[in-house]
Amino acid sequence: MLFRSGPVRPQGKRYFCSPVAGRHFTLMEKDPMKRLGLALAGLALAGAVSTAHAQLTMQMGNGWTFTFAGNVNTFFTYEDQSLGDTPAGGPGALVGGDFSEARIRTGLLPAFAVFDAKGKEGNTDLGVHFGFAPQVNCGDAVNDCFGAQIDMRQVYLTVGGSWGQILAGRELGLFQRQNILTDQTLFGVGATGSANIVGSGVGTTLGRIGFGYIYPNFRAQFTFSTPAGKPASFSIGVFEATAVGQYTENEIPRVEAEFVYDKSGFKFWLSGLAQSVKDATIDESAASFGGAGGLRWSNANFSITGSGYAGKGLGTTLFGNQGSADTGVGSDDMRSSYGYIGQLTFTPSNSKVTLAGSYGASTLQAADVEGNGSTTNSLISGGIYYQATKSLKVVGEFNYAQTTNGDGIDTDANKAISPAVGLMLFF
């Protein structure tokens, strides 16, 4: 067994290094899911990230390779929330407190320890992947900090060849994953999403989750992807269905799909989702469905990105969250929702600094049985990202979030300001 620092490139295989959210700066074979499976996080800020080789690669005697890589990030955040006339705690509301709070915590991207093993047996490419995502912070204002979260975000196997690849296990979902992977707050904090409750705030910050897209989450799945090496790629998978309100029985799996075209600085994507869940006690089923997409153009200095989603029974923030009115009338219970993001980044020539700004919002509308009404969460985010070394990034960010009630009544919005500074080290 040979231990080496840096990449190992077995004969006849094409490899590349890329910054990855959920894999980060690890050496990856250039196939569809490994290429798209979170590698695109490195493109979230054009020119802001320099690639770095995995720190440890072991070449095994049987031809397999083992790689360890990851990141650690820590942010100082401050959040000041103020209540307007918008009801706090209403369906979909994310800003609804009256407090100020300082934290030292992980940003939207969790710290990651990533282990990969890859091999080729005959004409079949095989691999396994484990991604541990620990948190810097534990509960809010907790004295004995023993509960910092260790999240097993990824555990899957891959089987591939010239025909494409099958991924089986827990990995990021397909629906809206490009929306989050092109978001600038992936390298910051965005909306911190804190609550003035002792013991809360164990996980990551919200970023723009619930303020422009719904979190795709890391979910159990079987997903097929077309072969790599072409501008166009397609993935389709079956996932465990997710409860929407009182509809908790998943008789059939959810289906998610994604199409991406990426060539010469232009990128276009579409994704979709459909599922049906049931409330067995009243024998009623409810369907969730949605579509998402986006466009991105980038060169060495600029990038412009626009993305959005719409659907019914999707909920907001997390899939299924408050997606139903829970009145037991099936599909008439499902709330509609939609969201969008516009983003610009600029990196001066020969500079280590990238500037980014974006605006996005998510709206959750009342179900048919509830009548009129909606809640909108919006976020303005501005960031400065300094690539101090090949692996070390220094981040400064300012965020302004609002929650408003769209029931036709003129209300004063709930507001939150959230500045943050932090360090991110990818290895």
Side-chain angles (χ1 to χ4, degrees):
M1 181 168 62
L2 176 64
F3 292 79
R4 297 182 61 180
S5 176
V8 173
R9 294 177 170 84
Q11 188 100 15
K13 286 182 150 186
R14 295 192 304 165
Y15 282 74
F16 74 114
C17 288
S18 177
V20 185
R23 281 187 178 163
H24 320 291
F25 297 113
T26 186
L27 191 64
M28 297 181 296
E29 187 176 358
K30 196 172 184 181
D31 60 44
M33 286 300 294
K34 295 189 184 79
R35 176 169 58 87
L36 287 175
L38 304 180
L40 294 166
L43 301 179
L45 301 171
V49 181
S50 300
T51 59
H53 298 313
Q55 292 299 301
L56 176 63
T57 298
M58 294 182 287
Q59 180 69 56
M60 313 299 286
N62 61 2
W64 281 63
T65 59
F66 174 84
T67 302
F68 171 65
N71 93 87
V72 175
N73 71 84
T74 304
F75 286 86
F76 175 83
T77 67
Y78 177 79
E79 183 172 17
D80 184 14
Q81 286 199 18
S82 58
L83 275 174
D85 299 328
T86 299
L94 293 177
V95 181
D98 190 8
F99 65 90
S100 298
E101 179 181 66
R103 299 291 308 277
I104 297 175
R105 61 183 302 170
T106 303
L108 171 58
L109 187 67
F112 255 98
V114 178
F115 301 86
D116 270 299
K118 302 182 181 72
K120 190 176 182 72
E121 297 180 355
N123 294 321
T124 303
D125 297 317
L126 301 171
V128 293
H129 181 97
F130 296 88
F132 296 85
Q135 306 300 322
V136 169
N137 46 289
C138 62
D140 201 3
V142 172
N143 183 56
D144 296 321
C145 192
F146 305 126
Q149 180 171 294
I150 300 177
D151 184 358
M152 189 68 180
R153 294 230 174 172
Q154 298 169 302
V155 52
Y156 61 79
L157 64 88
T158 56
V159 180
S162 59
W163 47 269
Q165 180 182 268
I166 294 173
L167 181 149
R170 187 182 183 196
E171 172 63 310
L172 194 67
L174 301 176
F175 180 59
Q176 295 195 63
R177 71 171 175 178
Q178 300 299 329
N179 298 43
I180 188 172
L181 294 177
T182 52
D183 172 23
Q184 72 175 76
T185 68
L186 193 62
F187 293 102
V189 300
T192 55
S194 298
N196 194 23
I197 302 171
V198 172
S200 67
V202 176
T204 69
T205 64
L206 279 177
R208 196 175 280 284
I209 298 168
F211 295 86
Y213 52 77
I214 296 172
Y215 185 44
N217 220 324
F218 292 81
R219 301 189 182 279
Q221 61 186 274
F222 278 92
T223 294
F224 167 77
S225 296
T226 56
K230 298 180 180 180
S233 62
F234 176 73
S235 299
I236 185 167
V238 291
F239 297 71
E240 283 195 3
T242 302
V244 181
Q246 70 184 64
Y247 304 92
T248 59
E249 188 172 307
N250 53 340
E251 293 181 325
I252 56 176
R254 180 168 73 249
V255 177
E256 297 186 17
E258 178 191 70
F259 172 79
V260 179
Y261 182 86
D262 191 356
K263 186 178 181 180
S264 302
F266 172 80
K267 182 179 177 182
F268 165 76
W269 66 90
L270 288 172
S271 63
L273 170 152
Q275 81 163 28
S276 178
V277 284
K278 184 177 181 180
D279 183 342
T281 61
I282 59 174
D283 196 28
E284 284 282 354
S285 295
S288 296
F289 54 87
L295 290 168
R296 178 184 175 90
W297 175 83
S298 62
N299 61 21
N301 302 109
F302 292 95
S303 77
I304 180 169
T305 307
S307 65
Y309 74 94
K312 194 168 186 176
L314 303 178
T316 186
T317 312
L318 305 178
F319 178 79
N321 181 38
Q322 299 181 332
S324 168
D326 290 342
T327 61
V329 292
S331 293
D332 286 342
D333 250 350
M334 298 294 99
R335 293 174 173 141
S336 297
S337 57
Y338 62 88
Y340 57 88
I341 306 169
Q343 177 177 290
L344 292 169
T345 73
F346 171 62
T347 305
S349 298
N350 302 316
S351 175
K352 294 183 177 183
V353 174
T354 291
L355 305 176
S358 60
Y359 174 81
S362 289
T363 296
L364 181 68
Q365 296 179 316
D368 293 342
V369 296
E370 294 178 295
N372 296 324
S374 63
T375 300
T376 298
N377 302 301
S378 61
L379 175 67
I380 300 172
S381 183
I384 301 176
Y385 309 85
Y386 175 65
Q387 199 68 39
T389 70
K390 179 182 288 188
S391 301
L392 177 64
K393 183 190 300 298
V394 182
V395 179
E397 194 177 82
F398 184 85
N399 301 281
Y400 175 75
Q402 286 193 151
T403 292
T404 57
N405 191 318
D407 60 2
I409 302 173
D410 186 16
T411 58
D412 184 26
N414 301 335
K415 303 177 181 67
I417 58 170
S418 305
V421 292
L423 300 174
M424 307 184 77
L425 181 61
F426 296 86
F427 63 91

